[in-house]
């Protein structure tokens, strides 16, 4: 049986992000990706202009059909949300379909210290609530600071691995067993760190110039797909890190922020073959 992952995220025409990357990536990993659209957009919201159709009102009928059909998912992955109301529906989705499945919440809210255009404080509060129901969460450094009520500028200005570790550790619970912090940028390298109750590990890669739409969604899709199919956390993180590295290398841009994201398509073969990185330094660096 092919394992099934429900991905609750938006469908953006331009931006190489959200469902547009989750569908090919999870498929390339050999799993079935079932899209649950939270919104449909012409472009992701980082462009100067975009048109968005909120899909909230259609979520309940989607869920009702699947409840009747007694559908089961091996994992659930949530990403970009279009309204506060959606959180209650997603909580119901997790309650109903998540009992025997792995629940991944990517608390999409912000990047590089700045909230996304369509997010505000009260939506962030709802996202916080959602993370409490997850087994694995994948905040970037900005989102980690929001979840913990910490100042991003303080944390990001110097080597603060110990503090970041402590913040991630504070989010662990009986439900949330793994926190993966992405995009820690220090001194020419980028680190993705995972924190569990008894171990902490990092994957380091050379920091490339620029900031790209959708890399968080690529990361969460690979980690979710990889772990669901049985990879260990460190291997899934290193596959994701290396895939993103190769995709950025293949994305010529002169912009500080590239709204169309990365050219990931021709690297999908890495996921089909689970080709691990060669330039990555990865380690479990502490057993607690
Ligand atoms: O990749 C995060 C993301 C997802 N979906 C939409 C977005 C963004 C970030 O800006 O605008 C619609």
């Amino acid at each position: 049986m092919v394992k099934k992952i429900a991905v609750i995220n938006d469908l953006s025409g331009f931006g190489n992000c959200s469902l547009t990357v989750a569908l090919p990536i999870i498929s390339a990993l050999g799993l079935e990706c079932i899209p649950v659209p939270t919104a449909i957009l012409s472009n992701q919201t980082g462009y100067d202009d975009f048109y968005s159709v909120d899909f909230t009102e259609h979520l309940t009928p989607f869920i009702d059909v699947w409840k009747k059909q007694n559908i089961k998912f091996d994992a659930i992955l949530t990403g970009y949300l279009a309204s506060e109301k959606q959180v209650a529906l997603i909580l119901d989705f997790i309650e109903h379909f998540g009992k025997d499945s792995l629940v991944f919440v990517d608390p999409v809210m912000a990047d590089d210290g700045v909230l996304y255009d369509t997010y505000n404080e009260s939506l962030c509060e709802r996202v916080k609530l959602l993370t409490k129901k997850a087994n694995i969460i994948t905040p970037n450094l900005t989102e980690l600071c929001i979840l913990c009520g910490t100042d991003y500028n303080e944390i990001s200005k110097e080597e603060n691995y110990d503090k970041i570790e402590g913040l991630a550790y504070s989010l662990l619970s009986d439900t949330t067993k793994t926190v993966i912090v992405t995009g820690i940028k220090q001194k020419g390298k980028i680190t993705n760190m995972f924190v569990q109750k008894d171990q902490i590990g990092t994957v380091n890669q050379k920091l490339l110039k620029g900031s790209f739409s959708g890399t968080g969604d690529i990361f969460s899709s690979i980690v979710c797909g990889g772990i669901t199919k049985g990879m260990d956390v460190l291997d899934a993180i290193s596959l994701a890190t290396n895939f993103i590295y190769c995709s950025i290398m293949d994305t010529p841009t002169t912009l500080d922020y590239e709204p169309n994201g990365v050219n990931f398509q021709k690297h999908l073969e890495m996921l089909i073959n689970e080709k691990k990185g060669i330039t990555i330094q990865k380690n479990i660096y502490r057993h607690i």
Side-chain angles (χ1 to χ4, degrees):
M1 279 287 277
V2 175
K3 289 192 170 175
K4 290 184 176 54
I5 303 179
V7 181
I8 305 172
N9 211 331
D10 71 274
L11 183 66
S12 286
F14 285 89
N16 278 305
C17 63
S18 344
L19 286 172
T20 311
V21 298
L23 279 156
I25 283 174
I26 289 172
S27 304
L29 285 165
L31 304 121
E32 187 177 344
C33 174
I34 292 95
V36 185
T38 53
I40 301 181
L41 295 94
S42 58
N43 308 51
Q44 60 98 354
T45 65
Y47 280 89
D48 289 342
D49 201 7
F50 62 90
Y51 174 70
S52 174
V53 180
D54 185 333
F55 217 61
T56 309
E57 65 176 293
H58 303 292
L59 288 182
T60 304
F62 261 59
I63 296 167
D64 286 348
V65 171
W66 290 341
K67 279 181 181 170
K68 267 192 242 153
Q69 292 172 339
N70 206 17
I71 298 287
K72 301 237 183 313
F73 297 107
D74 297 285
I76 297 166
L77 168 63
T78 79
Y80 177 91
L81 306 178
S83 72
E84 285 177 46
K85 227 180 123 192
Q86 284 185 343
V87 177
L89 303 177
I90 296 168
L91 288 173
D92 176 56
F93 191 96
I94 292 173
E95 179 73 25
H96 190 87
F97 296 107
K99 284 196 189 75
D100 301 315
S101 63
L102 276 172
V103 179
F104 294 77
V105 170
D106 186 13
V108 174
M109 295 183 280
D111 202 4
D112 293 325
V114 183
L115 271 189
Y116 293 135
D117 254 18
T118 50
Y119 276 65
N120 56 28
E121 228 175 273
S122 78
L123 184 52
C124 292
E125 281 307 312
R126 307 294 293 163
V127 173
K128 263 189 212 176
L129 211 72
L130 193 56
T131 58
K132 304 220 184 307
K133 301 288 174 195
N135 304 122
I136 298 172
I137 62 173
T138 52
N140 61 34
L141 188 56
T142 310
E143 290 156 350
L144 178 78
C145 291
I146 297 173
L147 293 175
C148 297
T150 303
D151 182 2
Y152 170 79
N153 293 320
E154 275 301 305
I155 291 287
S156 62
K157 74 177 177 209
E158 56 194 55
E159 292 231 11
N160 260 326
Y161 295 105
D162 284 354
K163 276 193 197 153
I164 294 167
E165 221 182 272
L167 292 175
Y169 200 83
S170 75
L171 298 175
L172 296 176
S173 69
D174 284 347
T175 308
T176 308
K177 308 271 196 212
T178 307
V179 176
I180 304 172
V181 185
T182 65
I184 307 165
K185 297 171 190 168
Q186 298 287 347
K187 293 192 178 152
K189 73 178 181 187
I190 186 154
T191 301
N192 296 315
M193 172 193 284
F194 83 86
V195 174
Q196 294 173 333
K197 194 159 169 270
D198 55 356
Q199 61 179 6
I200 293 170
T202 54
V203 174
N204 298 301
Q205 182 56 283
K206 199 174 139 211
L207 178 63
L208 297 172
K209 207 176 146 289
S211 164
F212 299 83
S213 157
T215 49
D217 302 318
I218 293 177
F219 187 91
S220 64
S221 299
I222 297 177
V223 163
C224 172
I227 292 174
T228 304
K229 71 188 262 196
M231 288 173 76
D232 78 32
V233 179
L234 199 63
D235 280 346
I237 295 174
S238 66
L239 182 61
T241 306
N242 208 38
F243 181 84
I244 292 168
Y245 181 83
C246 292
S247 303
I248 294 176
M249 289 289 277
D250 209 25
T251 309
T253 181
T254 52
L255 305 172
D256 288 338
Y257 170 66
E258 179 47 73
N260 198 41
V262 295
N263 296 336
F264 70 93
Q265 293 80 359
K266 83 175 191 219
H267 301 288
L268 286 169
E269 183 247 326
M270 284 174 70
L271 306 180
I272 296 171
N273 299 323
E274 277 183 36
K275 223 195 263 171
K276 312 254 165 64
I278 40 165
T279 51
I280 284 176
Q281 174 200 350
K282 64 170 184 169
N283 57 336
I284 304 272
Y285 78 90
R286 189 172 303 163
H287 285 278
I288 299 163

